[in-house]
Amino acid sequence: MTTTGVATRVSTVDLLGWTTEVFRALGLPPGRARAAAAALCHGDLTGLTSHGLANLTRLYLPLFRDNRADPEAEPVVLTDLGAAALVDARRALGLWQATEAMADAVDRARTHGIGLVSVRGATHFGCAGHHTALAARHGMIGLLAGNCGGQRIAHPPGGTVAMLGTNPLSVAAPAGAGHPFVLDMSTTVVPTGRIRAAARAGESIPPGWLSDVDGQPVTDPAAFDRGEAQLRWLGGDPETGGYKGFGLGLVVEVLGALVSGAGTGPSREAYTGDRGQDDDIGYAAIAIAPAALRHSKSFQRQTAEVFGALLDCPSTSDDGVRYPGWHEGERAASHLRDGVPIPPALHAELNEVAELLGIGRL
């Protein structure tokens, strides 16, 4: 561990080990605690810090405290058709359970060319890209579409009440010898974690992330939790593609909730201003095995050419052209070598957690 003026650098081994101990102290069995730690630390490892350890006290500890997540939950397969299955997660911690669902989808795809594991009764699963990247590591294409259960924080275009969550969507694929392609996005302009991180840091946010009831830009991130601003859809105004972000949000709702029977955002309860909670999350974990449909080496050559061509594309910037997942892969490589930077305030917060749970300091 090394400390600088702005951050403490912690080795990935120490960070994963400490986070595993946190989840062990919360009652998770060892293997599940390790999987949950890997999923949570993925955010810090890749630079997606709004979905990393900053969420431990904000999101995951309250899930256990309020009995909204069950550390001893045993997911149940309700339907199994070979290529497809329906699973009730029974409030299992999504950080490990989503990884397990994707691994199951990969196993099914090896036999059938495609595997679908549809999940209901789920809880927050962290960075969706952590789970889809598992399929890419097996030479497959992974897709994860997860709604926010009954939570409603985004207004439909023209709507006066919130009806949907941020509804994340991720697709991952191999990219030859390069970092895997990993698209991991909310269907709103940004996830709420980005807004709350800015609020905690006392920073303003760019115009276009939030708007007031009249559609005017709001740059104070704290206005969101005060109820004075609403999330904007990917694309912004209807004239610039906001309906596309909203439509993608509904696609996630269809794939994640309507297939599995999970909780849904759109509900007549929303008319009273009830924003619900992100309980009974639903998602679709899908793996596609191109090697089961075509020659494996041909697929590998083509992925290398597609993503290699993008990296070599003439650019107006010295930084060049990059695809989703490339920057995250570079940050992960750097952090594996030099340690993961943990900001001072977060470091102090995590050590308070250690004291609370009776484990060693980070």
Side-chain angles (χ1 to χ4, degrees):
M1 178 189 301
T2 60
T3 302
T4 68
V6 294
T8 298
R9 285 195 175 265
V10 182
S11 76
T12 55
V13 172
D14 289 344
L15 196 66
L16 286 168
W18 183 86
T19 309
T20 298
E21 287 303 305
V22 168
F23 288 120
R24 289 287 289 121
L26 292 170
L28 269 69
R32 292 177 177 180
R34 285 192 296 273
L40 185 57
C41 292
H42 174 87
D44 303 281
L45 183 67
T46 59
L48 303 173
T49 54
S50 65
H51 281 56
L53 282 161
N55 273 345
L56 186 59
T57 58
R58 186 189 73 80
L59 180 60
Y60 295 105
L61 293 185
L63 278 177
F64 289 106
R65 181 195 65 210
D66 300 338
N67 199 35
R68 293 170 58 209
D70 179 1
E72 299 179 348
E74 291 294 340
V76 175
V77 177
L78 302 176
T79 306
D80 191 336
L81 302 176
L86 172 63
V87 173
D88 184 346
R90 302 178 74 185
R91 293 185 294 113
L93 183 63
L95 288 169
W96 70 261
Q97 198 273 326
T99 294
E100 187 170 278
M102 184 58 70
D104 187 7
V106 166
D107 286 342
R108 294 170 187 274
R110 285 197 185 98
T111 300
H112 302 284
I114 188 168
L116 162 66
V117 178
S118 180
V119 180
R120 69 191 192 202
T123 62
H124 200 280
F125 48 66
C127 293
H130 170 73
H131 308 293
T132 55
L134 173 65
R137 289 196 295 273
H138 287 277
M140 298 185 190
I141 297 164
L143 185 151
L144 187 66
N147 83 338
C148 295
Q151 186 182 55
R152 296 176 284 271
I153 53 177
H155 294 223
T160 60
V161 295
M163 295 287 275
L164 288 169
T166 55
N167 287 16
L169 173 68
S170 177
V171 177
H179 300 301
F181 165 80
V182 183
L183 173 70
D184 186 349
M185 55 174 272
S186 63
T187 50
T188 50
V189 172
V190 290
T192 56
R194 293 278 301 277
I195 292 168
R196 288 171 173 142
R200 286 194 300 271
E203 300 170 348
S204 61
I205 58 173
W209 287 14
L210 297 175
S211 63
D212 62 19
V213 293
D214 297 319
Q216 296 303 306
V218 173
T219 58
D220 175 9
F224 176 71
D225 280 330
R226 292 198 303 263
E228 299 169 1
Q230 62 190 45
L231 277 171
R232 290 170 64 84
W233 292 104
L234 190 65
D237 293 327
E239 296 79 11
T240 58
Y243 279 106
K244 295 179 182 179
F246 172 58
L248 281 174
L250 286 174
V251 166
V252 171
E253 201 78 33
V254 169
L255 293 175
L258 296 189
V259 175
S260 67
T264 61
S267 166
R268 296 179 188 277
E269 295 173 356
Y271 300 167
T272 66
D274 180 359
R275 293 199 162 200
Q277 279 190 308
D278 54 347
D279 294 324
D280 193 12
I281 288 171
Y283 61 85
I286 300 171
I288 302 169
L293 304 172
R294 54 181 292 196
H295 197 283
S296 175
K297 291 192 181 299
S298 172
F299 172 67
Q300 293 168 8
R301 284 195 299 270
Q302 195 167 20
T303 58
E305 172 57 24
V306 165
F307 294 105
L310 286 170
L311 294 178
D312 293 337
C313 178
S315 172
T316 59
S317 165
D318 291 339
D319 295 331
V321 174
R322 300 293 181 255
Y323 54 82
W326 189 92
H327 287 293
E328 291 82 355
E330 288 290 293
R331 291 189 203 106
S334 172
H335 292 160
L336 284 166
R337 182 184 64 245
D338 301 326
V340 180
I342 306 296
L346 177 59
H347 193 228
E349 183 179 290
L350 296 178
N351 280 324
E352 289 176 7
V353 171
E355 184 175 348
L356 175 69
L357 297 177
I359 65 173
R361 291 169 61 87
L362 178 64

